Amino acid sequence: MYGRHPEVAAIIKGHETTANGILTDAGSQLLYEKFSSNVSTVFGLSASVGGSMITLDISATKSTVDGWISDLQTCLEEAWRKYDPEDDESGTEFMRIQSMSMDINDIIMNYNSLKYDLDDIELEFENAVRLYRSPVRSALTDIRILYNAENNVNGDFSGFTNVSVYVHGIEDTSNKFLQGATEGAQIDDIIVRMLRNGDVEYFIVTEDEKGNKVMGDVLNFEQIESSMNNNARVHIVYDTEQKNEHRQETSDDLAEKLNEMGLINETTKIDMFGHSYGGRRSLQFAMDYPDHVRSITTIGTPYDTNTLGSLADSARWIAEIIGQDPKNTSDYLDFNLDNQNDNEDMLYGNAYTDMRSEPMTDDIHHLESANPEVYRKLLEMDITASAGYRTEQMVSYSPYYYQPPTEYKTSSDDTVSVKSQTGEILGELVDQRPQFEIDHGSGVTDPAHIYEVEDSDYIELIKEVNDKQKE
């Protein structure tokens, strides 16, 4: 083969057979091109391919190439082991092995080059798989919901008709929603806190000696089950699995968990409460499961694109300097190329990529065109988009007379504009657009934005919504 030494040619013949088998099984044109560009000078390719990558085990292929390299190295070692200088007075055998060594080293270089290209394919393939994983997962969740409905599969909370779900924002947890959920509840309501580590905590809302509503002791499900009252409201305070995960990932996660709890059915109605990016997550869930959502109430939500979110996604090192984590992500990868970013060439989509380039109106317009029936259901929901703002003082100086400071209302909560928070771009979808003054925080590093969910006005709004919707 190509004038090679017989023992090397025999090994290469085996590699050729294996390679063509790999290419035939994979049916991948891309894989064929990588093999051809690296090993065409080593052996011939006769496999017939023409398909796109559908399924491919790159790790196994790289392991096979490692085995090829080992075959050649073993062959050379064996030749030198058998070599005896005393039997090679003319040096002919020495020169032959030296020549074989050069041939083998050249082949190994080709094989290593192929391995590098296989790494590129592996990355490309993993990105492609992740791109399609989310729609498949959403479809599987829908199938489970349908199966449970048709087979009367009940979860632990089946029978509860009023459910509030609280969804936090970017770089956050559910901690701040606990106070609002408790104060917005009624006595004997149940609070279910789903933690990021997978743990679940249960509380019963009670009163302290001053008549204030408080969470009782942390209970396990067996303890809380004995005192369940189906007329009570269930308050689910939800930690996303990743703090900055994309809204679609949250919708998929939440639907799966609510279905397991028995809360996705014809009678249970869900009232969503979202802070900051949690509002986008809540609206996405409503778009995906409009028959189960009764109302959405948000504060501080960037319904439009967001300047700081865009900066954090584009210049991630700046965000990392102030303690943010714009690379935090989940398995979700947005189909919209503008809503993707990469971490060492691994593509991902998260809350930052979403806020960078896609206002929520894009999805709403697509939905209205593709599925006007779902859009009509969104119109029928009670949607309240509240905004937080600060009041500042403006001081003017005059050399002739004293001018007292004048107060003015800021146009943002330091990170999100009031216009974006009130969802003006959503038009007729939003029923109410209240604005609340937030008297804590200032600037980008300690913005009023992070205190909105604890604001007494917003907590009072939570209570009003829960009471109204229960009636």
Side-chain angles (χ1 to χ4, degrees), residues 179-237:
Q179 179 183 354
T182 303
E183 293 188 30
Q186 295 183 1
I187 304 302
D188 294 332
D189 279 359
I190 298 170
I191 294 181
V192 181
R193 187 183 181 196
M194 295 184 175
L195 298 168
R196 183 162 291 146
N197 62 7
D199 292 342
V200 180
E201 297 176 345
Y202 303 94
F203 309 89
I204 297 288
V205 178
T206 62
E207 280 185 331
D208 63 14
E209 62 277 5
K210 296 181 179 179
N212 299 316
K213 283 179 281 192
V214 296
M215 291 184 299
D217 295 333
V218 178
L219 305 174
N220 59 40
F221 181 76
E222 287 72 23
Q223 292 171 315
I224 205 170
E225 186 177 22
S226 61
S227 58
M228 276 186 178
N229 174 7
N230 284 5
N231 291 323
R233 176 180 285 270
V234 178
H235 302 261
I236 299 174
V237 185

Side-chain angles (χ1 to χ4, degrees), residues 274-309:
H275 173 236
S276 189
Y277 190 76
R280 281 193 176 220
R281 290 166 170 155
S282 299
L283 183 55
Q284 182 66 55
F285 182 81
M287 289 162 54
D288 293 339
Y289 302 96
D291 292 325
H292 306 286
V293 177
R294 179 168 50 195
S295 71
I296 305 171
T297 305
T298 66
I299 188 168
T301 293
Y303 284 107
D304 209 331
T305 54
N306 182 260
T307 301
L308 287 176

